Amino acid sequence: MLSVRQQFPIFTHQPDLVWLDSASSTQKPRSVIETAQRFYEMGYSNIHRGLYPLSERATADFEATRDVVKRFINAGEREEVVFTTGTTQSINLVAAGLGKLLKAGDAVLITEMEHHANIVPWQLLVDKGIQVKSLYLADNGELLLDDLESQLTPDVKVFAFTAVSNALGTVNPVQQMIARVRAVRPDMIILVDAAQAIAHMPIDVQAWDCDFLAFSGHKLYGPTGVGVLYGKRTWLEALPPYMGGGDMIRTVTLEKTTFNDIPYKFEAGTPNIEGVLALAPAIAFVESLGWSAIMAHEQALLAQATQALQQIDGLRIIGTAAHKEAVVSFIVDGVHPSDMATLLGYEQICLRASHHCAQPVMQRYQVPATVRASFAAYNQSSDIEKLVAGVEMAVGMLR
Amino acid sequence: MDKPVNTPPKYDIQTTIEQLVERFAFFNDWKDRYQYLIDLGKKLPPFNETWQTEANQIHGCQSQVWLKIDYEDGRYYLRAKSEATIVAGMIALLLWVYNGRTKEEILTTPLDFLGKIGLMQHLSPSRANGLYNMIKHLHSHLN
C-alpha cells in the first residue's frame, strides 16, 4: 500500500511544501482528483433527468455517495443526507428555515467559540425578534459547561454549537452535552457544526442524537464546493425549502408549486455533481487509514508541536484544553501574526494568521489574531521541525 | 504634532521609483529584502493616536491599518500606520513613491514597480492584502 503522503500528488509536485493549514482546507488524495477528472472525461452528464445510460450512471453514482455519507456519519436513513455547497450553506439552510418556524421572543443558544458561519446565520434572525445567546469560554479554551442546564431557559429553542473549535482546537464533549440538554429539554433543536471534526474523529449522529449536523467536503480531503447537511427526517420534513428551482419541486403551475420529498426538497438546481462523486473516495481514504491510526498520528503531532513551540521565548499557545484536535494557535511577544505567516510563507510553510473567522474568540483572549498550525493525516514529524525553525527565524528577523 | 510639516518630494516620481528599484536590486534573496522592509516598517514616522479614526482606517487587512491623507498646495501628503511590521514596511514603500505627489502623478503611477523589487505577491486583490486596499482607499479619496 502507498504511504499516506504518496497518495497526495501535491507533495510530489511540491516536495518542500509544509502544509499546516488543513483546518482551513485539506490537500486532496489522487483518488479524489481522479474521480472528478474521470467523470468529466468519461462519464459526464447531468443527473436526475436524462433517460440515457450516461445520466443514469451518473445519477446512480451520485446517489451512491449519499449512502456512503449515511454510513460514514451513521445517519438513520439516506434521505437524511442533503448535499449542499458546504458547512456555511448547511447552517444557513437550517437557520433560514427555522427562522420561519420560530416566534418572536424565542432564542438560539450558541457558544463563544463558534466560527462566524455558526454565528451570523442566527444573527440574521434577530430582526424577526429572535435572540442569540451564548455559552462562554474558560481561560484554557474549554466551554464553561458547569451551568449548562441553567442556560437552557424556556425561550431557548435551538442550541447550535461546534464539535471542535477551529481557532483553539478544543474538542467539545458533544455526546455528553447533548445528553445533558435532552435530559432537561428533550424538545431542544440541536445543530452540530462538524466542519473541524469531520476529518479527525468518528461521528455518529444517532449516538450523538443531534437534529442537524453540518460539514464540508474540502476539510475532509474532498473537493471544494460540496458539503453535507444531516437532518433528522422529522426536522427536514418540517423545514421549509431554502432555495427554489429545479429538482426540488413535484409540480409547478404558474400559481403554485408543490415540493419534492427530502432530501431533494433542499437540492434545487444542478448540484456540484463531480464534487459529490469525489466525496466518496475522500471518505474511502479516511476509512482506509482508520480512525485509531489517524487520531494517534495527529495526537502525536500535536504533542510534538506543543512541546517544541513552548520552548520558544515569548511564545504563548492560545487554547490549552485537555482534549484538543491537532491545532496549535499561538502568538509571540512583539511579533504580529501576519508578519510571522508572511515570512513562513517564503519557507513554504503554509499556515494561517488571522482571527480565523472567529472574532469572538480573539476578543475573549484579547489578541488581534493568532498564528495557527493545523495538522492532518499526511503531516510528518519533519513538518514540525521546519515549523519550529521557521518560527525562530521569523522571530529573529522581526524582533 | 497634529499639524505636521509637509515638504514636496525632492525628485520626480519616475526618478524616485528608479532609486527604489536600484536600492532593492542590492539584495540577493528574500530574507535580505524582507529584513530591509522590516527595518523600513520599524522606522515609519510616528502616527498620532488622534488620527486613528474610523474614517482613516483601511478595512479588509489582516492587521489594523490607518491612512491619513492631507491636501496642501496641490499635493497629497500621506501618513499611515500598521500594527504589523511587514505591512508597515509596505506602507513605507508607498510613502516613498506617492507621498507629496499630485493627483495626476498618483493616478498615473501604478503599483507595478513592486514586481521589479520582488514584492509582486503583495499586489493581488486579496482580502489579506493591506497594500491593495490602501491603494484603493487612496484612489477613491482622490476621485
Side-chain angles (χ1 to χ4, degrees):
Chain A
M1 196 179 126
L2 288 171
S3 81
V4 173
R5 274 178 92 78
Q6 282 171 330
Q7 296 183 52
F8 288 78
I10 195 156
F11 296 124
T12 306
H13 296 295
Q14 308 236 21
D16 297 324
L17 188 68
V18 181
W19 185 257
L20 302 178
D21 204 15
S22 296
S24 174
S25 202
T26 52
Q27 297 295 339
K28 317 304 171 198
R30 182 173 283 104
S31 57
V32 166
I33 299 164
E34 285 180 352
T35 298
Q37 190 177 356
R38 207 164 43 238
F39 173 62
Y40 277 127
E41 288 186 357
M42 299 184 225
Y44 185 78
S45 164
N46 209 330
I47 55 161
H48 293 151
R49 285 175 185 74
L51 293 173
Y52 40 86
L54 209 57
S55 179
E56 284 167 357
R57 176 65 202 272
T59 303
D61 289 348
F62 185 93
E63 290 302 326
T65 303
R66 206 183 299 277
D67 294 312
V68 169
V69 173
K70 169 196 173 286
R71 183 173 43 73
F72 187 58
I73 60 172
N74 194 31
E77 303 173 50
R78 65 189 311 281
E79 290 80 12
E80 294 178 329
V81 174
V82 177
F83 290 117
T84 64
T85 61
T87 308
T88 297
Q89 195 189 48
S90 296
I91 298 175
N92 274 278
L93 188 162
V94 176
L98 288 177
K100 292 182 178 157
L101 303 179
L102 296 173
K103 297 188 303 292
D106 287 342
V108 176
L109 182 66
I110 61 170
T111 85
E112 201 176 11
M113 66 162 67
E114 299 310 310
H115 186 282
H116 296 164
N118 198 28
I119 302 175
V120 185
W122 305 109
Q123 287 177 341
L124 291 175
L125 305 181
V126 167
D127 54 4
K128 292 179 175 150
I130 294 160
Q131 245 194 302
V132 179
K133 299 181 170 182
S134 183
L135 295 178
Y136 292 95
L137 283 164
D139 287 343
N140 68 355
E142 290 176 4
L143 283 175
L144 292 164
L145 292 173
D146 287 351
D147 60 346
L148 172 62
E149 285 81 358
S150 67
Q151 307 293 320
L152 307 173
T153 46
D155 56 328
V156 174
K157 300 293 195 297
V158 181
F159 182 28
F161 68 100
T162 190
V164 175
S165 159
N166 72 315
L168 303 166
T170 310
V171 177
N172 288 323
V174 177
Q175 196 165 335
Q176 290 109 290
M177 285 167 70
I178 294 177
R180 283 173 62 186
V181 172
R182 294 261 183 251
V184 291
R185 288 285 304 279
D187 60 328
M188 184 69 70
I189 305 164
I190 298 175
L191 177 140
V192 176
D193 172 355
Q196 289 301 328
I198 193 70
H200 306 282
M201 64 180 68
I203 287 175
D204 182 331
V205 290
Q206 294 189 78
W208 284 8
D209 195 19
C210 51
D211 297 299
F212 297 104
L213 180 128
F215 67 88
S216 301
H218 74 96
K219 292 190 205 285
L220 176 62
Y221 309 101
T224 55
V226 66
V228 166
L229 170 67
Y230 158 81
K232 280 184 187 165
R233 172 177 281 278
T234 47
W235 272 116
L236 289 182
E237 286 176 344
L239 274 196
Y242 179 55
M243 296 202 301
D247 242 19
M248 55 81 73
I249 53 93
R250 183 166 292 135
T251 60
V252 177
T253 67
L254 290 178
E255 290 75 34
K256 187 178 163 45
T257 294
T258 57
F259 301 118
N260 204 338
D261 294 331
I262 65 164
Y264 307 108
K265 183 170 85 173
F266 297 108
E267 294 181 355
T270 295
N272 180 353
I273 305 169
E274 77 283 7
V276 169
L277 299 189
L279 194 56
I283 291 171
F285 164 75
V286 167
E287 289 177 332
S288 75
L289 301 180
W291 285 121
S292 58
I294 290 173
M295 291 164 81
H297 177 70
E298 292 180 358
Q299 285 299 312
L301 293 172
L302 174 66
Q304 184 195 347
T306 304
Q307 206 275 335
L309 286 169
Q310 274 170 342
Q311 309 301 314
I312 294 171
D313 184 38
L315 185 144
R316 180 158 67 99
I317 292 175
I318 310 288
T320 51
H323 189 188
K324 272 181 71 173
E325 210 171 82
V327 168
V328 187
S329 228
F330 61 93
I331 52 169
V332 183
D333 288 344
V335 174
H336 196 282
S338 90
D339 289 333
M340 172 77 71
T342 302
L343 296 179
L344 290 178
Y346 277 91
E347 298 283 278
Q348 300 219 52
I349 300 166
C350 305
L351 41 63
R352 187 86 178 266
S354 75
H355 50 61
H356 314 296
C357 295
Q359 288 185 17
V361 175
M362 301 299 117
Q363 289 150 14
R364 167 65 177 83
Y365 297 102
Q366 296 182 333
V367 291
T370 68
V371 182
R372 181 190 68 187
S374 54
F375 306 93
Y378 39 63
N379 286 113
Q380 48 194 2
S381 184
S382 62
D383 290 341
I384 292 165
E385 289 158 18
K386 288 178 187 163
L387 167 67
V388 172
V391 170
E392 282 169 340
M393 169 209 74
V395 170
M397 287 177 74
L398 287 160
R399 264 196 192 147
Chain B
M1 185 68 209
D2 262 44
K3 187 92 180 73
V5 184
N6 295 320
T7 329
K10 235 186 267 176
Y11 303 98
D12 67 73
I13 197 161
Q14 284 315 319
T15 309
T16 302
I17 289 175
E18 280 162 32
Q19 289 167 345
L20 175 67
V21 171
E22 215 169 290
R23 184 70 188 79
F24 270 84
F26 182 72
F27 305 120
N28 298 321
D29 67 2
W30 75 265
K31 268 185 205 166
D32 292 343
R33 211 153 50 226
Y34 269 84
Q35 194 65 66
Y36 182 62
L37 201 60
I38 288 164
D39 295 341
L40 286 179
K42 286 181 175 169
K43 282 188 279 188
L44 201 63
F47 192 86
N48 200 323
E49 215 167 286
T50 59
W51 302 339
Q52 293 183 23
T53 61
E54 171 64 25
N56 286 341
Q57 191 165 3
I58 315 267
H59 291 281
C61 307
Q62 278 197 350
S63 58
Q64 297 214 75
V65 175
W66 291 271
L67 176 63
K68 181 180 183 296
I69 306 167
D70 294 309
Y71 182 73
E72 193 179 311
D73 297 335
R75 296 176 179 277
Y76 291 89
Y77 292 92
L78 315 175
R79 285 163 188 91
K81 177 195 164 112
S82 167
E83 292 170 334
T85 314
I86 291 172
V87 178
M90 299 302 293
I91 288 173
L93 295 184
L94 200 80
L95 266 50
W96 187 328
V97 173
Y98 295 107
N99 192 31
R101 302 296 174 185
T102 64
K103 178 177 172 178
E104 288 62 39
E105 284 173 316
I106 293 171
L107 290 178
T108 56
T109 309
L111 271 172
D112 42 6
F113 60 85
L114 290 176
K116 293 188 196 150
I117 59 179
L119 296 168
M120 198 63 200
Q121 73 284 4
H122 289 278
L123 276 172
S124 68
S126 144
R127 61 179 168 179
N129 190 336
L131 201 61
Y132 179 82
N133 289 311
M134 248 184 290
I135 279 291
K136 240 173 53 182
H137 183 93
L138 176 58
H139 283 192
S140 69
H141 184 91
L142 300 183
N143 286 317

